Amino acid sequence: MEFYLPTETGELLAFSSAAFTALAGLFMMFAPGLTFRFFGLGSMEHRPGAIAEARSSLGGFYAGIGLSAILLAQDWIYMALGAGFALAAFGRILSLMSDRGRNPLNYPLLVVQIVLAALPLGYVLGFL
């Protein structure tokens, strides 16, 4: 079995979204303290279980879906990756509107989530 590197532009963009997701997930899994500081979340001294949440829920899931999309390179996995980021972006929009989440970090993260959703969805749906 060989490693597949896409040659089409659309698939390469979807692959790039998956690669970024996998790298972000691995970073979150192996550096939960830096992840919490970057996102401005509470200190982990008050809740030691927060490290497990960062490693598994954030890092493990992102790394898993990103690596699955990279290794399998199937349309349905790209669809799952794009749909997940699209719903995450929708959740962030809801937070901006109703949870007083209008801090300076939420806007760039919203843009990142929209781009990470648009690249694989655009490829699968035939726009790229």
Side-chain angles (χ1 to χ4, degrees):
M1 184 171 161
E2 294 182 22
F3 180 72
Y4 173 73
L5 191 61
T7 55
E8 296 177 18
T9 303
E11 190 175 8
L12 187 60
L13 292 172
F15 182 89
S16 299
S17 176
F20 180 83
T21 302
L23 289 174
L26 291 172
F27 179 79
M28 290 176 197
M29 188 182 299
F30 292 108
L34 290 174
T35 301
F36 277 9
R37 276 190 292 252
F38 176 76
F39 289 120
L41 299 175
S43 68
M44 293 182 293
E45 291 86 29
H46 296 100
R47 185 170 175 238
I51 294 174
E53 291 299 316
R55 289 186 198 273
S56 63
S57 298
L58 291 174
F61 186 79
Y62 276 33
I65 192 74
L67 289 173
S68 295
I70 289 170
L71 295 175
L72 299 174
Q74 298 293 314
D75 287 351
W76 284 105
I77 296 178
Y78 286 134
M79 179 79 77
L81 178 67
F85 275 115
L87 287 172
F90 179 69
R92 191 169 301 274
I93 290 169
L94 287 177
S95 178
L96 286 168
M97 293 186 329
S98 62
D99 298 337
R100 291 180 285 167
R102 294 183 179 165
N103 64 21
L105 183 61
N106 268 337
Y107 293 104
L109 288 176
L110 175 63
V111 171
V112 168
Q113 286 177 328
I114 290 171
V115 169
L116 290 175
L119 294 177
L121 288 177
Y123 166 67
V124 171
L125 298 175
F127 295 116
L128 298 176

